[in-house]
Amino acid sequence: MIIKNLRYIHRIREILGILVEHNLLSLLNEFWLKPPYQAKIILFLFSLGFKPSATISNLRIGERLGLALQKSGPCFIKLGQALSVRSDIIGEELASDLSALQDHLPPFSGDDARQAIVQEFGQPIEKIFKCFEDKPVAAASIAQVHFATTIDGNPVAVKILRPKVEEAFSRDLAFLNWIAKTTEDHIPDMRRLRLLEFVQTLKKTIALEMDLRLEAAAGDELRSNFEGDSTFFVPNMDWTRTGRRVLTTERIEGFPIDEIENIKKLGLDAKTLVGNMARILFLQVFRDGFFHADLHPGNLSVASNGSIQAVDFGIMGRIDKQTRFYLAEMLLGFLNADYEKVASVHFRAGYVPANQSEDQFAQAARAIAEPIFGLPLKEISLARLLSQLFQITQQFEMEAQPQLLLLQKTMLVAEGVGRQLYPDANMWQLAQPLIEEWMQEELTPEARAAETLSEAGKFLERLPVLIAKMSDTVETLSRKGLRLHQNTLDEMFNNNKQKSRWQWWAGILLGLGILSALI
């Protein structure tokens, strides 16, 4: 334990040194509102020997923080990307700057890449690939990508996890967990940030990214959702050459979506591309409830025919059907300046506790939205609006909604790309008719009946499991000597006997009603 703590203390000094170099110690004072004098002394002693770099003096605080996180290592890059969706914790400006945090690291050797492939598949690389390029085309914190050609002659992209990346992340995650626990134990004011919970969420996210089979499955699902759509393309997953540490996909040709000159050279229409981006994101979020949550230009390219292409499916988001309805109503409420609807949605969804004032929440929503909607159309940002909305969570005891935070970050990045392509277009104005049409289609009596029937079917499928669990619970209670009184059992039996007939007829009538609505 002593050795572990000494190692953590040494790591703290390293991190503080990086913070001093990037002139970021003021951030600690901002989030740690009144640090005790002992902490000030410790910070001062730990930071001795370091001084701010002259090269970062003109950068914003968020840009400096991004550079500091990059220097701190892979786990801290992921920490920064996770913080970029938590404007409720770090503020809108910092979150916006961190959303552009680039995940680039020096590459590992081609020999290590080849060895990883051999270890994954248990056979010589010559039996897997006819040609394998040692120089990677991209290198990030968790993995890097090489081009190769299969034995069949198909060009592919091969993503390979970094050697010993699991151990590196495990060490830094344990350190962050220690920092979070120590902070919450000794500084009560910091508990409002729920640091331990945040680190655990980060740990789960990174664990998913380190199994490339899960990424392949996500890419496969996204591809099937857009089968036959000429505006959006997802490469095929090569499952025969994919494992936990290696992912092989069809190789795609194109250029990053933010290269405006290439768009002009090919004679493509930038406004059409922005419209397609809005449509693609709308279909992922509302039609499918499954969206690519890392839509920066490094992961989006444009083919010569104008099709938008996506890669890297390590970070994906899911939104259930009911949440999609709430989200659509919320966005339409904002777009139509109907703040009572915005408030109503939050209360119906249970995002805001019932003991809060719906009228006051509507007033807060108006105060956030009106200044934004007073901007020129091309400058209106719904992502910024949602970001500010999430910042009032503490005032209304509103719990953070992870799926909406991830979507807000996705919207922010997509807006940035859209403005680069065609500054005069607003993605959400283009998407508004699509959202309204989707709402109308999904709220028809036929659609609602189909949804009800689907949910009923799912419940019936789960019913045997629920009954078995109830039986196990009763048996456990019985073993512990806990039993219902005989009078209670007799009453339950008699009541059930009387109710069984009308419940049976009610079930038949309900089923007939649903079927008649569908016909």
Side-chain angles (χ1 to χ4, degrees):
M1 180 62 73
I2 294 175
I3 294 174
K4 181 184 286 187
N5 286 342
L6 287 173
R7 190 164 62 241
Y8 289 158
I9 290 169
H10 175 69
R11 186 65 170 136
I12 288 174
R13 176 167 162 76
E14 285 181 345
I15 300 298
L16 282 174
I18 293 171
L19 291 178
V20 171
E21 287 175 6
H22 292 81
N23 197 17
L24 289 169
L25 278 188
S26 60
L27 269 182
L28 292 179
N29 291 329
E30 185 175 334
F31 290 106
W32 191 350
L33 300 178
K34 293 181 180 178
Y37 72 90
Q38 300 98 324
K40 291 182 179 179
I41 293 172
I42 292 171
L43 287 174
F44 172 75
L45 292 174
F46 271 43
S47 59
L48 286 175
F50 300 102
K51 61 181 182 179
S53 169
T55 60
I56 51 90
S57 58
N58 294 325
L59 298 178
R60 293 193 306 273
I61 190 169
E63 293 173 322
R64 298 201 305 273
L65 180 58
L67 290 172
L69 291 168
Q70 281 183 312
K71 188 169 182 179
S72 299
C75 190
F76 287 86
I77 293 174
K78 292 297 178 188
L79 173 63
Q81 292 173 336
L83 283 171
S84 71
V85 305
R86 295 306 305 269
S87 59
D88 56 319
I89 292 179
I90 63 174
E92 184 186 348
E93 187 176 341
L94 273 181
S96 178
D97 281 334
L98 289 182
S99 69
L101 182 61
Q102 294 299 303
D103 192 355
H104 297 310
L105 283 181
F108 54 89
S109 71
D111 287 340
D112 284 341
R114 289 171 178 267
Q115 185 179 354
I117 293 170
V118 170
Q119 288 178 344
E120 184 67 43
F121 300 111
Q123 54 182 315
I125 195 169
E126 293 79 13
K127 290 190 175 181
I128 304 169
F129 299 111
K130 182 189 294 184
C131 170
F132 182 86
E133 297 180 16
D134 285 333
K135 185 179 179 181
V137 293
S141 57
I142 286 181
Q144 68 185 33
V145 179
H146 294 254
F147 282 162
T149 305
T150 66
I151 298 297
D152 305 326
N154 298 319
V156 292
V158 187
K159 186 173 184 176
I160 305 163
L161 290 187
R162 284 183 173 274
K164 299 181 179 178
V165 67
E166 294 92 343
E167 294 91 328
F169 272 96
S170 179
R171 283 194 301 271
D172 268 345
L173 284 169
F175 168 69
L176 289 173
N177 196 74
W178 180 77
I179 289 287
K181 187 175 189 311
T182 304
T183 301
E184 289 194 355
D185 286 347
H186 295 94
I187 313 172
D189 286 346
M190 298 288 278
R191 289 174 191 162
R192 65 185 175 85
L193 301 181
R194 297 159 72 183
L195 299 176
L196 264 175
E197 182 182 328
F198 180 76
V199 173
Q200 289 305 309
T201 302
L202 179 65
K203 184 177 180 180
K204 290 176 184 176
T205 301
I206 290 173
L208 290 174
E209 285 192 68
M210 283 201 236
D211 188 338
L212 297 182
R213 294 169 298 188
L214 298 177
E215 180 176 338
D220 226 18
E221 182 175 348
L222 188 62
R223 178 182 171 83
S224 67
N225 287 345
F226 283 84
E227 195 72 46
D229 191 323
S230 61
T231 65
F232 187 58
F233 181 80
V234 176
N236 263 312
M237 306 297 124
D238 186 342
W239 285 102
T240 61
R241 297 173 181 84
T242 291
R244 191 177 68 83
R245 296 181 60 83
V246 178
L247 164 62
T248 304
T249 70
E250 172 187 5
R251 195 192 307 178
I252 57 177
E253 301 292 337
F255 54 88
I257 196 167
D258 60 346
E259 292 186 359
I260 310 299
E261 287 304 314
N262 280 325
I263 291 174
K264 291 178 180 177
K265 283 179 184 176
L266 287 175
L268 300 174
D269 182 50
K271 186 177 181 181
T272 300
L273 280 176
V274 174
N276 286 342
M277 269 193 66
R279 175 181 167 275
I280 289 162
L281 186 54
F282 157 78
L283 290 174
Q284 289 182 34
V285 173
F286 292 101
R287 183 192 67 185
D288 306 324
F290 182 63
F291 62 95
H292 195 304
D294 201 13
L295 292 176
H296 61 77
N299 290 337
L300 289 177
S301 62
V302 180
S304 57
N305 65 355
S307 172
I308 295 174
Q309 305 172 128
V311 296
D312 194 349
F313 314 103
I315 305 176
M316 306 293 289
R318 286 192 187 276
I319 301 181
D320 62 60
K321 193 69 169 283
Q322 192 58 59
T323 303
R324 281 179 257 166
F325 281 126
Y326 290 140
L327 180 62
E329 283 191 88
M330 187 198 312
L331 294 179
L332 290 176
F334 273 123
L335 289 169
N336 296 316
D338 186 349
Y339 305 113
E340 287 74 19
K341 174 181 275 191
V342 172
S344 172
V345 169
H346 280 79
F347 279 79
R348 279 189 286 115
Y351 299 155
V352 180
N355 64 347
Q356 297 295 311
S357 167
E358 194 167 325
D359 289 337
Q360 287 181 3
F361 192 89
Q363 183 181 351
R366 180 185 294 275
I368 292 167
E370 286 299 322
I372 292 175
F373 287 122
L375 297 170
L377 182 63
K378 63 182 180 181
E379 295 179 23
I380 290 174
S381 167
L382 274 184
R384 182 183 166 207
L385 189 148
L386 290 179
S387 173
Q388 292 190 7
L389 184 67
F390 296 147
Q391 287 180 54
I392 65 171
T393 56
Q394 191 175 7
Q395 179 184 345
F396 289 93
E397 300 177 9
M398 188 171 129
E399 289 193 8
Q401 303 297 318
Q403 73 278 28
L404 295 185
L405 289 169
L406 189 59
L407 177 60
Q408 179 259 324
K409 181 236 182 182
T410 303
M411 290 168 65
L412 185 69
V413 176
E415 281 179 347
V417 174
R419 287 205 175 91
Q420 282 182 285
L421 290 176
Y422 195 79
D424 291 330
N426 184 285
M427 286 186 66
W428 312 118
Q429 185 194 31
L430 296 172
Q432 183 173 353
L434 300 173
I435 298 173
E436 290 173 337
E437 184 181 350
W438 177 79
M439 286 285 288
Q440 289 171 0
E441 290 177 354
E442 291 295 327
L443 293 178
T444 61
E446 294 81 8
R448 289 193 172 203
E451 185 72 18
T452 302
L453 193 59
S454 173
E455 290 301 316
K458 290 176 185 176
F459 175 75
L460 289 174
E461 286 179 4
R462 296 196 302 269
L463 194 56
V465 177
L466 293 173
I467 292 171
K469 285 184 178 179
M470 289 172 63
S471 176
D472 291 342
T473 302
V474 171
E475 187 178 339
T476 302
L477 291 173
S478 179
R479 284 200 303 270
K480 292 181 178 180
L482 299 174
R483 288 180 173 81
L484 291 175
H485 193 277
Q486 186 61 44
N487 290 344
T488 304
L489 289 171
D490 291 341
E491 185 69 22
M492 287 172 61
F493 178 76
N494 290 331
N495 284 344
N496 285 340
K497 208 171 180 184
Q498 293 170 8
K499 290 177 182 178
S500 61
R501 290 182 179 176
W502 71 259
Q503 286 176 340
W504 185 74
W505 280 108
I508 290 177
L509 290 172
L510 176 63
L512 289 173
I514 292 172
L515 288 174
S516 64
L518 290 173
I519 295 172

